[in-house]
Amino acid sequence: DAGVIQSPRHEVTEMGQEVTLRCKPISGHNSLFWYRQTMMRGLELLIYFNNNVPIDDSGMPEDRFSAKMPNASFSTLKIQPSEPRDSAVYFCASSLGHSNEKLFFGSGTQLSVL
Amino acid sequence: RKEVEQDPGPFNVPEGATVAFNCTYSNSASQSFFWYRQDCRKEPKLLMSVYSSGNEDGRFTAQLNRASQYISLLIRDSKLSDSATYLCVVSGYSTLTFGKGTMLLVSP
């Protein structure tokens, strides 16, 4: 079975540019999560969706970040404009049911903003 | 008090050693507990769930102490391949909260 699929694996961009990260959750999973991981702060939840509806976006750093889930098999995380402090690994994860069940992670996107 | 706290390590142990990690959590209402493993430059992967009665999976044993609000992970007969960061995960008010992880380095 395919796991959570993220693209791109690596993204290098310049400050001020728009960045779009993509995620395809495991088929049949109802919840989708976007996390950011840095050495300093560890894994931080940015936003999560249940049945394609955003439930908790309190972790989204600021208005530069936005996330969408137009259907059950696709989600995007967009940063516009990007800044060097956004450099991190961004993980997408999905779970079968509600938000406190075990998560399955994608391989992540390593983002570097120069 | 941080929601989930772990000793960052690294724990350096020789092959064959037994090593234990602890993790404390602040939310007394938490119901779900997990240990995840993360290899360098990889995604976190579920190692095992932690049940109230404790559970074992091969060389790995997880324990939960609700009264003291900590969970533990014991690894027996360490292998080189056990070298990784181990993340403690606790259910929060709406989602799972991850600790920053404990790094384990197993040497020959």
Side-chain angles (χ1 to χ4, degrees):
Chain A
D1 288 338
V4 176
I5 300 172
Q6 289 188 245
S7 65
R9 290 295 305 274
H10 304 276
E11 177 79 33
V12 181
T13 190
E14 292 187 345
M15 182 173 63
Q17 297 297 306
E18 178 179 295
V19 175
T20 300
L21 311 181
R22 297 174 176 79
C23 175
K24 176 179 167 57
I26 293 172
S27 177
H29 280 195
N30 295 323
S31 293
L32 181 141
F33 306 77
W34 282 101
Y35 283 87
R36 176 172 68 177
Q37 187 175 37
T38 60
M39 288 290 292
M40 288 294 292
R41 301 172 71 93
L43 263 172
E44 299 175 282
L45 177 67
L46 300 177
I47 185 171
Y48 92 90
F49 296 83
N50 184 257
N51 292 322
N52 311 339
V53 176
I55 304 299
D56 182 357
D57 65 354
S58 59
M60 295 286 263
E62 48 199 87
D63 292 345
R64 298 185 297 107
F65 285 67
S66 63
K68 294 181 180 179
M69 191 165 186
N71 57 62
S73 60
F74 183 66
S75 176
T76 60
L77 177 68
K78 186 176 293 187
I79 308 173
Q80 166 63 22
S82 57
E83 297 182 2
R85 60 190 168 127
D86 301 329
S87 298
V89 181
Y90 290 80
F91 288 106
C92 177
S94 68
S95 70
L96 185 60
H98 62 75
S99 58
N100 275 326
E101 292 189 7
K102 53 190 174 186
L103 302 180
F104 296 85
F105 284 82
S107 300
T109 295
Q110 172 76 60
L111 174 64
S112 298
V113 183
L114 307 178
Chain B
R1 184 178 181 182
K2 293 180 183 177
E3 288 190 68
V4 179
E5 283 199 77
Q6 296 183 252
D7 181 341
F11 284 58
N12 289 284
V13 302
E15 268 187 295
T18 295
V19 61
F21 310 133
N22 285 334
C23 160
T24 58
Y25 61 94
S26 61
N27 183 1
S28 60
S30 295
Q31 294 295 321
S32 303
F33 307 89
F34 308 95
W35 282 102
Y36 275 70
R37 171 197 169 123
Q38 186 172 23
D39 293 298
C40 188
R41 300 184 185 280
K42 300 284 189 180
E43 72 274 21
K45 292 184 178 178
L46 179 66
L47 178 66
M48 59 196 302
S49 302
V50 186
Y51 304 118
S52 296
S53 56
N55 50 301
E56 189 174 309
D57 183 2
R59 298 181 293 108
F60 298 83
T61 301
Q63 298 275 354
L64 168 64
N65 185 318
R66 286 189 183 273
S68 300
Q69 293 181 210
Y70 78 82
I71 67 175
S72 63
L73 177 67
L74 181 78
I75 305 175
R76 291 180 298 277
D77 189 22
S78 298
K79 312 290 185 191
L80 294 176
S81 58
D82 294 334
S83 296
T85 295
Y86 292 83
L87 305 172
C88 171
V89 186
V90 176
S91 62
Y93 296 102
S94 65
T95 59
L96 298 179
T97 300
F98 284 75
K100 290 187 178 180
T102 297
M103 183 181 291
L104 172 65
L105 299 173
V106 182
S107 54

